[in-house]
Amino acid sequence: MSSQDFRTPLKRVRGLGSAKSGTQHFIVQRVTAVALVPLSLWAIFLALALVHADYAQARAMLHHHFAAVWLSAFVIAMFWHAQLGLQVVIEDYVHTPWLEVVSQLAVKFFCIAGAITSVFAIVRVALA
Amino acid sequence: MPQNARPISPHLQIYRWPLAMALSIVHRATGIALAAGTLLLVWVLLALANGAEAWAGARAFCGSPLGLVLLFGWSWSLCFHLANGIRHLFWDVGKGYSIQQARSSGWVVVIVSLVFTGLIWACVIAQGGAK
């Protein structure tokens, strides 16, 4: 830092500092975690109800709009939470720059594709 | 995957595993396992949308020995990650930080995860098994 530099310390650290957007990550991870407590308990009940359901019964279960909305909320919160968690795992263990970027992108694409595909399937059954 | 081979300090293979450390590692491992398990969830949902034949295929896999082993592992992973996640949420609001509290809440998580997994599979068996 030279005396010729008129940028403030805050300006210099923005976008470069170690903190980046960690607080946002922390909060969203907790918010999705809180949402997933009731949602995943309900998903377990749904899965248990499906154990002996034939095709028609299984579709009838998701035909209830309450179930379709609740299950969509579950998959969105779950894939979001999974992406945030896997992101930290990669940040912790993958230190080769190109591999880190590739794995972070792969995790993001996988989770977004998983959420979109799941919601598409749920809506297709619910509106059938 | 370090890019240079710097010397590292003694690590996991040296220290005795305290409960808190084991649970922390298992929390991360179950998180990764559950993320992988989403593949089955997406498959089941797509099968339900795609027709009776696809549904029968997904159900047959879930009832197969491999499917049952995976489902059993994922059911315990979910119970553990859920229970330990709630433990983390208590820490996030500043509760339960004393060593004694952290140790007992750790054992509560272990027991609750096992009891819940047992209950889930008791429900499956009560319905006449997974076949």
Side-chain angles (χ1 to χ4, degrees), chain A residues 26 30 33-34 36-37 40-41 44 48-55 58-59 62 71 74-75 78-79 81-82 86 88-89 92-97 99 110 114 117-118 120-122 124-125, chain B residues 1-3 28 31-32 34-36 38-39 41-42 44-53 55-56 59 78-79 81-82 85-86 88-89 92 116 119-121 123-124 127-131:
Chain A
F26 179 92
R30 268 65 189 176
V34 170
L36 281 168
V37 173
S40 52
L41 283 172
I44 293 172
L48 285 172
L50 282 172
V51 168
H52 277 274
D54 62 24
Y55 184 63
R59 280 184 75 98
L62 275 197
L71 192 59
F74 170 70
V75 292
M78 187 268 294
F79 276 111
H81 190 81
L86 291 176
V88 178
V89 173
D92 283 354
Y93 302 130
V94 183
H95 302 306
T96 310
L99 192 59
F110 170 78
T117 310
S118 304
F120 171 77
I122 294 165
R124 227 186 124 189
V125 175
Chain B
M1 278 150 272
Q3 289 189 299
R28 183 163 269 201
I32 296 169
L34 288 167
T38 61
L39 282 171
L41 176 70
V42 174
V44 167
L45 288 173
L46 277 179
L48 192 60
N50 281 342
E53 206 171 305
W55 175 252
R59 280 206 52 179
L78 179 57
C79 292
H81 203 85
L82 180 60
I86 292 170
H88 271 274
L89 289 174
D92 290 336
F116 266 58
L119 282 174
I120 288 173
W121 289 92
C123 284
V124 173
Q127 292 184 67
K131 295 281 171 188

Side-chain angles (χ1 to χ4, degrees), chain A residues 1-18:
Chain A
M1 179 181 180
S2 78
S3 55
Q4 306 286 305
D5 196 340
F6 290 104
R7 288 179 303 170
T8 63
L10 180 64
K11 173 67 182 170
R12 199 174 294 109
V13 81
R14 273 203 178 128
L16 296 172
S18 58

